[in-house]
mmCIF file of all heavy atoms in Angstrom:
data_model
loop_
_atom_site.group_PDB
_atom_site.id
_atom_site.type_symbol
_atom_site.label_atom_id
_atom_site.label_comp_id
_atom_site.label_asym_id
_atom_site.label_seq_id
_atom_site.Cartn_x
_atom_site.Cartn_y
_atom_site.Cartn_z
ATOM 1 N N TYR A 1 -49.261 175.178 296.092
ATOM 2 C CA TYR A 1 -48.568 174.417 295.050
ATOM 3 C C TYR A 1 -47.168 174.013 295.520
ATOM 4 O O TYR A 1 -46.735 172.872 295.305
ATOM 5 C CB TYR A 1 -48.483 175.251 293.774
ATOM 6 C CG TYR A 1 -47.772 174.569 292.627
ATOM 7 C CD1 TYR A 1 -48.380 173.526 291.926
ATOM 8 C CD2 TYR A 1 -46.490 174.961 292.247
ATOM 9 C CE1 TYR A 1 -47.737 172.897 290.882
ATOM 10 C CE2 TYR A 1 -45.832 174.340 291.196
ATOM 11 C CZ TYR A 1 -46.460 173.313 290.513
ATOM 12 O OH TYR A 1 -45.818 172.684 289.476
ATOM 13 N N VAL A 2 -46.462 174.918 296.187
ATOM 14 C CA VAL A 2 -45.120 174.613 296.677
ATOM 15 C C VAL A 2 -45.183 173.551 297.773
ATOM 16 O O VAL A 2 -44.307 172.679 297.862
ATOM 17 C CB VAL A 2 -44.419 175.894 297.189
ATOM 18 C CG1 VAL A 2 -43.123 175.557 297.915
ATOM 19 C CG2 VAL A 2 -44.146 176.832 296.023
ATOM 20 N N GLN A 3 -46.232 173.606 298.622
ATOM 21 C CA GLN A 3 -46.409 172.550 299.618
ATOM 22 C C GLN A 3 -46.492 171.188 298.937
ATOM 23 O O GLN A 3 -45.927 170.197 299.407
ATOM 24 C CB GLN A 3 -47.680 172.795 300.436
ATOM 25 C CG GLN A 3 -47.554 173.874 301.496
ATOM 26 C CD GLN A 3 -48.821 173.984 302.333
ATOM 27 O OE1 GLN A 3 -49.921 174.002 301.794
ATOM 28 N NE2 GLN A 3 -48.663 174.051 303.647
ATOM 29 N N GLY A 4 -47.207 171.147 297.815
ATOM 30 C CA GLY A 4 -47.319 169.897 297.060
ATOM 31 C C GLY A 4 -45.988 169.463 296.468
ATOM 32 O O GLY A 4 -45.642 168.273 296.480
ATOM 33 N N LEU A 5 -45.231 170.437 295.943
ATOM 34 C CA LEU A 5 -43.909 170.112 295.396
ATOM 35 C C LEU A 5 -43.042 169.446 296.463
ATOM 36 O O LEU A 5 -42.319 168.486 296.187
ATOM 37 C CB LEU A 5 -43.216 171.380 294.893
ATOM 38 C CG LEU A 5 -43.741 172.041 293.612
ATOM 39 C CD1 LEU A 5 -42.951 173.319 293.324
ATOM 40 C CD2 LEU A 5 -43.658 171.093 292.418
ATOM 41 N N LYS A 6 -43.138 169.971 297.678
ATOM 42 C CA LYS A 6 -42.315 169.429 298.762
ATOM 43 C C LYS A 6 -42.884 168.131 299.311
ATOM 44 O O LYS A 6 -42.131 167.204 299.635
ATOM 45 C CB LYS A 6 -42.179 170.471 299.872
ATOM 46 C CG LYS A 6 -41.396 171.705 299.420
ATOM 47 C CD LYS A 6 -41.093 172.643 300.565
ATOM 48 C CE LYS A 6 -40.221 173.798 300.091
ATOM 49 N NZ LYS A 6 -39.810 174.698 301.185
ATOM 50 N N LEU A 7 -44.210 168.035 299.417
ATOM 51 C CA LEU A 7 -44.833 166.817 299.926
ATOM 52 C C LEU A 7 -44.525 165.630 299.025
ATOM 53 O O LEU A 7 -44.211 164.535 299.498
ATOM 54 C CB LEU A 7 -46.346 167.009 300.043
ATOM 55 C CG LEU A 7 -47.147 165.777 300.494
ATOM 56 C CD1 LEU A 7 -46.755 165.377 301.906
ATOM 57 C CD2 LEU A 7 -48.648 166.061 300.410
ATOM 58 N N PHE A 8 -44.624 165.857 297.738
ATOM 59 C CA PHE A 8 -44.390 164.771 296.781
ATOM 60 C C PHE A 8 -42.929 164.707 296.316
ATOM 61 O O PHE A 8 -42.619 163.993 295.354
ATOM 62 C CB PHE A 8 -45.325 164.934 295.578
ATOM 63 C CG PHE A 8 -46.774 164.928 295.952
ATOM 64 C CD1 PHE A 8 -47.591 166.030 295.712
ATOM 65 C CD2 PHE A 8 -47.340 163.825 296.573
ATOM 66 C CE1 PHE A 8 -48.934 166.029 296.055
ATOM 67 C CE2 PHE A 8 -48.689 163.813 296.924
ATOM 68 C CZ PHE A 8 -49.489 164.912 296.668
ATOM 69 N N ASN A 9 -42.072 165.477 296.984
ATOM 70 C CA ASN A 9 -40.639 165.471 296.687
ATOM 71 C C ASN A 9 -40.342 165.720 295.212
ATOM 72 O O ASN A 9 -39.419 165.135 294.638
ATOM 73 C CB ASN A 9 -40.007 164.134 297.105
ATOM 74 C CG ASN A 9 -40.068 163.907 298.605
ATOM 75 O OD1 ASN A 9 -39.816 164.824 299.384
ATOM 76 N ND2 ASN A 9 -40.404 162.701 299.007
ATOM 77 N N VAL A 10 -41.122 166.581 294.583
ATOM 78 C CA VAL A 10 -40.978 166.818 293.149
ATOM 79 C C VAL A 10 -39.604 167.393 292.816
ATOM 80 O O VAL A 10 -38.933 166.947 291.886
ATOM 81 C CB VAL A 10 -42.087 167.774 292.649
ATOM 82 C CG1 VAL A 10 -41.851 168.155 291.189
ATOM 83 C CG2 VAL A 10 -43.451 167.115 292.809
ATOM 84 N N ILE A 11 -39.172 168.391 293.595
ATOM 85 C CA ILE A 11 -37.893 169.048 293.314
ATOM 86 C C ILE A 11 -36.724 168.086 293.529
ATOM 87 O O ILE A 11 -35.836 167.959 292.680
ATOM 88 C CB ILE A 11 -37.724 170.300 294.190
ATOM 89 C CG1 ILE A 11 -38.847 171.301 293.896
ATOM 90 C CG2 ILE A 11 -36.367 170.945 293.961
ATOM 91 C CD1 ILE A 11 -38.909 172.459 294.864
ATOM 92 N N GLU A 12 -36.752 167.388 294.667
ATOM 93 C CA GLU A 12 -35.668 166.450 294.967
ATOM 94 C C GLU A 12 -35.664 165.296 293.972
ATOM 95 O O GLU A 12 -34.593 164.859 293.522
ATOM 96 C CB GLU A 12 -35.820 165.903 296.387
ATOM 97 C CG GLU A 12 -35.594 166.923 297.492
ATOM 98 C CD GLU A 12 -36.817 167.817 297.723
ATOM 99 O OE1 GLU A 12 -37.837 167.616 297.044
ATOM 100 O OE2 GLU A 12 -36.741 168.706 298.570
ATOM 101 N N GLU A 13 -36.862 164.808 293.632
ATOM 102 C CA GLU A 13 -36.944 163.685 292.706
ATOM 103 C C GLU A 13 -36.451 164.073 291.317
ATOM 104 O O GLU A 13 -35.798 163.286 290.626
ATOM 105 C CB GLU A 13 -38.391 163.174 292.622
ATOM 106 C CG GLU A 13 -38.837 162.366 293.824
ATOM 107 C CD GLU A 13 -38.001 161.119 294.035
ATOM 108 O OE1 GLU A 13 -37.697 160.430 293.037
ATOM 109 O OE2 GLU A 13 -37.639 160.839 295.184
ATOM 110 N N LYS A 14 -36.771 165.302 290.891
ATOM 111 C CA LYS A 14 -36.301 165.742 289.575
ATOM 112 C C LYS A 14 -34.786 165.825 289.563
ATOM 113 O O LYS A 14 -34.140 165.367 288.612
ATOM 114 C CB LYS A 14 -36.898 167.104 289.212
ATOM 115 C CG LYS A 14 -36.423 167.611 287.854
ATOM 116 C CD LYS A 14 -37.109 168.898 287.433
ATOM 117 C CE LYS A 14 -36.595 169.360 286.072
ATOM 118 N NZ LYS A 14 -37.288 170.558 285.573
ATOM 119 N N SER A 15 -34.218 166.398 290.609
ATOM 120 C CA SER A 15 -32.767 166.518 290.687
ATOM 121 C C SER A 15 -32.109 165.137 290.694
ATOM 122 O O SER A 15 -31.106 164.902 290.005
ATOM 123 C CB SER A 15 -32.372 167.291 291.944
ATOM 124 O OG SER A 15 -30.981 167.371 292.070
ATOM 125 N N LYS A 16 -32.698 164.228 291.459
ATOM 126 C CA LYS A 16 -32.174 162.861 291.537
ATOM 127 C C LYS A 16 -32.303 162.155 290.192
ATOM 128 O O LYS A 16 -31.357 161.487 289.736
ATOM 129 C CB LYS A 16 -32.930 162.089 292.619
ATOM 130 C CG LYS A 16 -32.471 160.650 292.793
ATOM 131 C CD LYS A 16 -33.289 159.946 293.865
ATOM 132 C CE LYS A 16 -32.894 158.489 294.002
ATOM 133 N NZ LYS A 16 -33.730 157.779 295.019
ATOM 134 N N THR A 17 -33.460 162.317 289.550
ATOM 135 C CA THR A 17 -33.681 161.672 288.250
ATOM 136 C C THR A 17 -32.709 162.193 287.204
ATOM 137 O O THR A 17 -32.159 161.427 286.409
ATOM 138 C CB THR A 17 -35.129 161.914 287.779
ATOM 139 O OG1 THR A 17 -36.036 161.353 288.735
ATOM 140 C CG2 THR A 17 -35.378 161.256 286.421
ATOM 141 N N LEU A 18 -32.496 163.513 287.200
ATOM 142 C CA LEU A 18 -31.562 164.109 286.249
ATOM 143 C C LEU A 18 -30.158 163.555 286.457
ATOM 144 O O LEU A 18 -29.473 163.184 285.492
ATOM 145 C CB LEU A 18 -31.545 165.630 286.409
ATOM 146 C CG LEU A 18 -32.658 166.408 285.703
ATOM 147 C CD1 LEU A 18 -32.602 167.874 286.114
ATOM 148 C CD2 LEU A 18 -32.517 166.286 284.193
ATOM 149 N N ALA A 19 -29.725 163.498 287.703
ATOM 150 C CA ALA A 19 -28.378 163.008 288.000
ATOM 151 C C ALA A 19 -28.229 161.543 287.596
ATOM 152 O O ALA A 19 -27.225 161.149 286.992
ATOM 153 C CB ALA A 19 -28.075 163.184 289.487
ATOM 154 N N GLU A 20 -29.234 160.736 287.926
ATOM 155 C CA GLU A 20 -29.177 159.314 287.598
ATOM 156 C C GLU A 20 -29.231 159.091 286.086
ATOM 157 O O GLU A 20 -28.525 158.217 285.553
ATOM 158 C CB GLU A 20 -30.326 158.570 288.280
ATOM 159 C CG GLU A 20 -30.182 158.483 289.796
ATOM 160 C CD GLU A 20 -31.389 157.841 290.454
ATOM 161 O OE1 GLU A 20 -32.432 157.676 289.760
ATOM 162 O OE2 GLU A 20 -31.305 157.510 291.655
ATOM 163 N N THR A 21 -30.061 159.873 285.405
ATOM 164 C CA THR A 21 -30.182 159.721 283.953
ATOM 165 C C THR A 21 -28.884 160.108 283.260
ATOM 166 O O THR A 21 -28.414 159.411 282.347
ATOM 167 C CB THR A 21 -31.335 160.593 283.414
ATOM 168 O OG1 THR A 21 -32.550 160.217 284.059
ATOM 169 C CG2 THR A 21 -31.497 160.409 281.908
ATOM 170 N N PHE A 22 -28.302 161.212 283.699
ATOM 171 C CA PHE A 22 -27.031 161.633 283.103
ATOM 172 C C PHE A 22 -25.944 160.586 283.360
ATOM 173 O O PHE A 22 -25.179 160.245 282.457
ATOM 174 C CB PHE A 22 -26.581 162.978 283.673
ATOM 175 C CG PHE A 22 -25.284 163.459 283.084
ATOM 176 C CD1 PHE A 22 -25.270 164.164 281.887
ATOM 177 C CD2 PHE A 22 -24.075 163.198 283.721
ATOM 178 C CE1 PHE A 22 -24.073 164.601 281.326
ATOM 179 C CE2 PHE A 22 -22.869 163.628 283.173
ATOM 180 C CZ PHE A 22 -22.869 164.329 281.969
ATOM 181 N N LYS A 23 -25.889 160.072 284.579
ATOM 182 C CA LYS A 23 -24.863 159.067 284.912
ATOM 183 C C LYS A 23 -25.031 157.810 284.059
ATOM 184 O O LYS A 23 -24.035 157.236 283.583
ATOM 185 C CB LYS A 23 -24.958 158.709 286.394
ATOM 186 C CG LYS A 23 -23.904 157.724 286.880
ATOM 187 C CD LYS A 23 -22.510 158.276 286.712
ATOM 188 C CE LYS A 23 -21.462 157.453 287.474
ATOM 189 N NZ LYS A 23 -21.434 156.036 287.107
ATOM 190 N N LYS A 24 -26.265 157.391 283.842
ATOM 191 C CA LYS A 24 -26.491 156.205 283.007
ATOM 192 C C LYS A 24 -26.039 156.462 281.569
ATOM 193 O O LYS A 24 -25.370 155.625 280.948
ATOM 194 C CB LYS A 24 -27.966 155.806 283.021
ATOM 195 C CG LYS A 24 -28.264 154.567 282.171
ATOM 196 C CD LYS A 24 -29.734 154.213 282.162
ATOM 197 C CE LYS A 24 -29.962 152.916 281.379
ATOM 198 N NZ LYS A 24 -29.403 152.954 280.012
ATOM 199 N N LEU A 25 -26.413 157.629 281.021
ATOM 200 C CA LEU A 25 -26.001 157.960 279.665
ATOM 201 C C LEU A 25 -24.489 158.122 279.579
ATOM 202 O O LEU A 25 -23.877 157.750 278.567
ATOM 203 C CB LEU A 25 -26.698 159.237 279.197
ATOM 204 C CG LEU A 25 -28.198 159.118 278.931
ATOM 205 C CD1 LEU A 25 -28.786 160.496 278.617
ATOM 206 C CD2 LEU A 25 -28.474 158.158 277.781
ATOM 207 N N TYR A 26 -23.889 158.654 280.622
ATOM 208 C CA TYR A 26 -22.431 158.783 280.667
ATOM 209 C C TYR A 26 -21.778 157.400 280.640
ATOM 210 O O TYR A 26 -20.822 157.160 279.890
ATOM 211 C CB TYR A 26 -22.024 159.557 281.919
ATOM 212 C CG TYR A 26 -20.532 159.566 282.188
ATOM 213 C CD1 TYR A 26 -19.648 160.213 281.327
ATOM 214 C CD2 TYR A 26 -20.011 158.930 283.323
ATOM 215 C CE1 TYR A 26 -18.278 160.227 281.577
ATOM 216 C CE2 TYR A 26 -18.651 158.940 283.578
ATOM 217 C CZ TYR A 26 -17.784 159.588 282.704
ATOM 218 O OH TYR A 26 -16.435 159.589 282.959
ATOM 219 N N ASP A 27 -22.313 156.485 281.460
ATOM 220 C CA ASP A 27 -21.764 155.124 281.483
ATOM 221 C C ASP A 27 -21.970 154.424 280.142
ATOM 222 O O ASP A 27 -21.085 153.693 279.665
ATOM 223 C CB ASP A 27 -22.408 154.316 282.603
ATOM 224 C CG ASP A 27 -21.939 154.761 283.987
ATOM 225 O OD1 ASP A 27 -20.868 155.401 284.060
ATOM 226 O OD2 ASP A 27 -22.639 154.488 284.971
ATOM 227 N N ASP A 28 -23.135 154.615 279.523
ATOM 228 C CA ASP A 28 -23.377 154.039 278.195
ATOM 229 C C ASP A 28 -22.376 154.600 277.184
ATOM 230 O O ASP A 28 -21.869 153.871 276.323
ATOM 231 C CB ASP A 28 -24.805 154.343 277.728
ATOM 232 C CG ASP A 28 -25.854 153.551 278.490
ATOM 233 O OD1 ASP A 28 -25.488 152.559 279.146
ATOM 234 O OD2 ASP A 28 -27.045 153.939 278.434
ATOM 235 N N SER A 29 -22.103 155.904 277.295
ATOM 236 C CA SER A 29 -21.157 156.548 276.384
ATOM 237 C C SER A 29 -19.739 156.037 276.606
ATOM 238 O O SER A 29 -18.968 155.871 275.651
ATOM 239 C CB SER A 29 -21.199 158.068 276.567
ATOM 240 O OG SER A 29 -22.480 158.582 276.259
ATOM 241 N N ARG A 30 -19.391 155.769 277.844
ATOM 242 C CA ARG A 30 -18.068 155.201 278.145
ATOM 243 C C ARG A 30 -17.925 153.819 277.499
ATOM 244 O O ARG A 30 -16.861 153.492 276.954
ATOM 245 C CB ARG A 30 -17.869 155.091 279.661
ATOM 246 C CG ARG A 30 -17.868 156.433 280.373
ATOM 247 C CD ARG A 30 -17.904 156.249 281.872
ATOM 248 N NE ARG A 30 -16.602 155.956 282.428
ATOM 249 C CZ ARG A 30 -16.413 155.539 283.677
ATOM 250 N NH1 ARG A 30 -17.455 155.355 284.490
ATOM 251 N NH2 ARG A 30 -15.202 155.298 284.125
ATOM 252 N N ARG A 31 -19.000 153.048 277.550
ATOM 253 C CA ARG A 31 -18.974 151.724 276.925
ATOM 254 C C ARG A 31 -18.812 151.841 275.416
ATOM 255 O O ARG A 31 -18.052 151.093 274.788
ATOM 256 C CB ARG A 31 -20.262 150.967 277.276
ATOM 257 C CG ARG A 31 -20.426 149.641 276.562
ATOM 258 C CD ARG A 31 -21.631 148.883 277.073
ATOM 259 N NE ARG A 31 -22.810 149.719 277.209
ATOM 260 C CZ ARG A 31 -23.561 150.103 276.174
ATOM 261 N NH1 ARG A 31 -23.234 149.750 274.944
ATOM 262 N NH2 ARG A 31 -24.640 150.841 276.386
ATOM 263 N N VAL A 32 -19.514 152.825 274.819
ATOM 264 C CA VAL A 32 -19.414 153.050 273.382
ATOM 265 C C VAL A 32 -17.988 153.428 272.996
ATOM 266 O O VAL A 32 -17.433 152.915 272.020
ATOM 267 C CB VAL A 32 -20.406 154.152 272.939
ATOM 268 C CG1 VAL A 32 -20.105 154.605 271.509
ATOM 269 C CG2 VAL A 32 -21.839 153.648 273.039
ATOM 270 N N VAL A 33 -17.369 154.325 273.775
ATOM 271 C CA VAL A 33 -15.997 154.752 273.482
ATOM 272 C C VAL A 33 -15.030 153.580 273.613
ATOM 273 O O VAL A 33 -14.132 153.405 272.777
ATOM 274 C CB VAL A 33 -15.574 155.912 274.404
ATOM 275 C CG1 VAL A 33 -14.091 156.228 274.218
ATOM 276 C CG2 VAL A 33 -16.405 157.152 274.114
ATOM 277 N N ALA A 34 -15.211 152.756 274.651
ATOM 278 C CA ALA A 34 -14.338 151.590 274.829
ATOM 279 C C ALA A 34 -14.439 150.666 273.627
ATOM 280 O O ALA A 34 -13.424 150.141 273.137
ATOM 281 C CB ALA A 34 -14.708 150.852 276.110
ATOM 282 N N ASP A 35 -15.651 150.452 273.132
ATOM 283 C CA ASP A 35 -15.841 149.606 271.952
ATOM 284 C C ASP A 35 -15.143 150.200 270.734
ATOM 285 O O ASP A 35 -14.546 149.476 269.927
ATOM 286 C CB ASP A 35 -17.334 149.429 271.655
ATOM 287 C CG ASP A 35 -18.032 148.555 272.689
ATOM 288 O OD1 ASP A 35 -17.327 147.841 273.429
ATOM 289 O OD2 ASP A 35 -19.279 148.604 272.762
ATOM 290 N N ILE A 36 -15.228 151.530 270.595
ATOM 291 C CA ILE A 36 -14.555 152.201 269.471
ATOM 292 C C ILE A 36 -13.045 152.044 269.592
ATOM 293 O O ILE A 36 -12.352 151.731 268.611
ATOM 294 C CB ILE A 36 -14.941 153.694 269.427
ATOM 295 C CG1 ILE A 36 -16.418 153.857 269.033
ATOM 296 C CG2 ILE A 36 -14.054 154.459 268.442
ATOM 297 C CD1 ILE A 36 -16.925 155.284 269.098
ATOM 298 N N TYR A 37 -12.512 152.218 270.791
ATOM 299 C CA TYR A 37 -11.073 152.068 271.007
ATOM 300 C C TYR A 37 -10.609 150.651 270.682
ATOM 301 O O TYR A 37 -9.522 150.443 270.126
ATOM 302 C CB TYR A 37 -10.719 152.398 272.461
ATOM 303 C CG TYR A 37 -10.615 153.876 272.769
ATOM 304 C CD1 TYR A 37 -10.863 154.842 271.810
ATOM 305 C CD2 TYR A 37 -10.250 154.300 274.045
ATOM 306 C CE1 TYR A 37 -10.763 156.193 272.105
ATOM 307 C CE2 TYR A 37 -10.131 155.642 274.358
ATOM 308 C CZ TYR A 37 -10.398 156.589 273.377
ATOM 309 O OH TYR A 37 -10.287 157.929 273.667
ATOM 310 N N ASN A 38 -11.431 149.670 271.051
ATOM 311 C CA ASN A 38 -11.060 148.282 270.812
ATOM 312 C C ASN A 38 -11.199 147.879 269.342
ATOM 313 O O ASN A 38 -10.515 146.974 268.875
ATOM 314 C CB ASN A 38 -11.912 147.348 271.682
ATOM 315 C CG ASN A 38 -11.554 147.450 273.153
ATOM 316 O OD1 ASN A 38 -10.396 147.657 273.501
ATOM 317 N ND2 ASN A 38 -12.544 147.324 274.021
ATOM 318 N N LYS A 39 -12.066 148.586 268.629
ATOM 319 C CA LYS A 39 -12.321 148.234 267.229
ATOM 320 C C LYS A 39 -11.354 148.915 266.281
ATOM 321 O O LYS A 39 -10.988 148.358 265.240
ATOM 322 C CB LYS A 39 -13.759 148.611 266.870
ATOM 323 C CG LYS A 39 -14.202 148.134 265.493
ATOM 324 C CD LYS A 39 -15.678 148.433 265.270
ATOM 325 C CE LYS A 39 -16.135 147.924 263.906
ATOM 326 N NZ LYS A 39 -17.577 148.211 263.676
ATOM 327 N N TYR A 40 -10.929 150.125 266.628
ATOM 328 C CA TYR A 40 -10.069 150.899 265.740
ATOM 329 C C TYR A 40 -8.767 151.278 266.446
ATOM 330 O O TYR A 40 -8.689 151.325 267.673
ATOM 331 C CB TYR A 40 -10.777 152.187 265.279
ATOM 332 C CG TYR A 40 -12.099 151.935 264.608
ATOM 333 C CD1 TYR A 40 -13.297 152.191 265.285
ATOM 334 C CD2 TYR A 40 -12.173 151.432 263.309
ATOM 335 C CE1 TYR A 40 -14.523 151.959 264.682
ATOM 336 C CE2 TYR A 40 -13.394 151.194 262.702
ATOM 337 C CZ TYR A 40 -14.574 151.462 263.388
ATOM 338 O OH TYR A 40 -15.780 151.225 262.793
ATOM 339 N N ASP A 41 -7.728 151.566 265.664
ATOM 340 C CA ASP A 41 -6.458 152.051 266.209
ATOM 341 C C ASP A 41 -6.599 153.534 266.538
ATOM 342 O O ASP A 41 -6.082 154.403 265.854
ATOM 343 C CB ASP A 41 -5.332 151.850 265.193
ATOM 344 C CG ASP A 41 -5.010 150.385 264.996
ATOM 345 O OD1 ASP A 41 -5.319 149.607 265.904
ATOM 346 O OD2 ASP A 41 -4.466 150.036 263.945
ATOM 347 N N PHE A 42 -7.352 153.799 267.619
ATOM 348 C CA PHE A 42 -7.718 155.175 267.914
ATOM 349 C C PHE A 42 -6.761 155.845 268.879
ATOM 350 O O PHE A 42 -6.695 157.048 268.976
ATOM 351 C CB PHE A 42 -9.139 155.206 268.498
ATOM 352 C CG PHE A 42 -9.888 156.464 268.198
ATOM 353 C CD1 PHE A 42 -10.695 156.567 267.081
ATOM 354 C CD2 PHE A 42 -9.772 157.571 269.022
ATOM 355 C CE1 PHE A 42 -11.381 157.725 266.800
ATOM 356 C CE2 PHE A 42 -10.464 158.731 268.752
ATOM 357 C CZ PHE A 42 -11.264 158.814 267.634
ATOM 358 N N THR A 43 -6.001 155.044 269.618
ATOM 359 C CA THR A 43 -5.097 155.614 270.604
ATOM 360 C C THR A 43 -3.718 154.987 270.477
ATOM 361 O O THR A 43 -3.545 153.919 269.901
ATOM 362 C CB THR A 43 -5.614 155.357 272.038
ATOM 363 O OG1 THR A 43 -5.649 153.940 272.247
ATOM 364 C CG2 THR A 43 -6.999 155.916 272.235
ATOM 365 N N ASP A 44 -2.732 155.634 271.039
ATOM 366 C CA ASP A 44 -1.364 155.129 270.974
ATOM 367 C C ASP A 44 -1.242 153.765 271.638
ATOM 368 O O ASP A 44 -0.538 152.881 271.159
ATOM 369 C CB ASP A 44 -0.403 156.114 271.660
ATOM 370 C CG ASP A 44 -0.273 157.413 270.881
ATOM 371 O OD1 ASP A 44 -0.548 157.387 269.670
ATOM 372 O OD2 ASP A 44 0.090 158.441 271.490
ATOM 373 N N ILE A 45 -1.934 153.597 272.746
ATOM 374 C CA ILE A 45 -1.818 152.337 273.487
ATOM 375 C C ILE A 45 -2.393 151.161 272.692
ATOM 376 O O ILE A 45 -2.046 150.011 272.912
ATOM 377 C CB ILE A 45 -2.512 152.445 274.868
ATOM 378 C CG1 ILE A 45 -2.092 151.300 275.783
ATOM 379 C CG2 ILE A 45 -4.015 152.467 274.719
ATOM 380 C CD1 ILE A 45 -2.598 151.438 277.202
ATOM 381 N N GLN A 46 -3.255 151.462 271.752
ATOM 382 C CA GLN A 46 -3.921 150.416 270.997
ATOM 383 C C GLN A 46 -3.050 149.885 269.849
ATOM 384 O O GLN A 46 -3.369 148.878 269.244
ATOM 385 C CB GLN A 46 -5.243 150.951 270.426
ATOM 386 C CG GLN A 46 -6.172 149.899 269.836
ATOM 387 C CD GLN A 46 -6.737 148.970 270.883
ATOM 388 O OE1 GLN A 46 -6.457 149.111 272.072
ATOM 389 N NE2 GLN A 46 -7.509 147.995 270.467
ATOM 390 N N LYS A 47 -1.929 150.536 269.573
ATOM 391 C CA LYS A 47 -1.138 150.158 268.409
ATOM 392 C C LYS A 47 -0.566 148.752 268.506
ATOM 393 O O LYS A 47 -0.371 148.082 267.504
ATOM 394 C CB LYS A 47 -0.016 151.181 268.196
ATOM 395 C CG LYS A 47 -0.522 152.526 267.675
ATOM 396 C CD LYS A 47 0.607 153.516 267.458
ATOM 397 C CE LYS A 47 0.067 154.832 266.923
ATOM 398 N NZ LYS A 47 1.134 155.835 266.721
ATOM 399 N N ASP A 48 -0.270 148.311 269.738
ATOM 400 C CA ASP A 48 0.284 146.969 269.857
ATOM 401 C C ASP A 48 -0.801 145.910 270.026
ATOM 402 O O ASP A 48 -0.492 144.728 270.150
ATOM 403 C CB ASP A 48 1.263 146.895 271.036
ATOM 404 C CG ASP A 48 0.592 147.247 272.372
ATOM 405 O OD1 ASP A 48 -0.648 147.405 272.395
ATOM 406 O OD2 ASP A 48 1.317 147.362 273.380
#
């Protein structure tokens, strides 16, 4: 079974998929926060 995990790169692919998925969700969340900052007076810099 472990030979199969390594042959099909299951462990590496899972780690890569997790990292890529988290990064995408992180980037989506950054976009959401930027939209919130631009829509509301949420930060000091936004007051002007």
Side-chain angles (χ1 to χ4, degrees):
Y1 179 73
V2 170
Q3 283 184 314
L5 288 177
K6 294 188 175 184
L7 177 64
F8 301 118
N9 296 317
V10 173
I11 299 170
E12 292 80 2
E13 285 299 317
K14 179 175 180 176
S15 178
K16 180 181 177 182
T17 300
L18 278 173
E20 290 175 348
T21 302
F22 180 85
K23 183 61 167 57
K24 180 182 184 306
L25 290 174
Y26 171 66
D27 288 340
D28 288 344
S29 298
R30 297 170 81 191
R31 173 174 45 77
V32 168
V33 173
D35 289 343
I36 291 174
Y37 280 2
N38 290 326
K39 187 175 181 180
Y40 304 105
D41 291 337
F42 210 92
T43 62
D44 292 337
I45 195 173
Q46 191 68 1
K47 288 181 179 179
D48 60 7

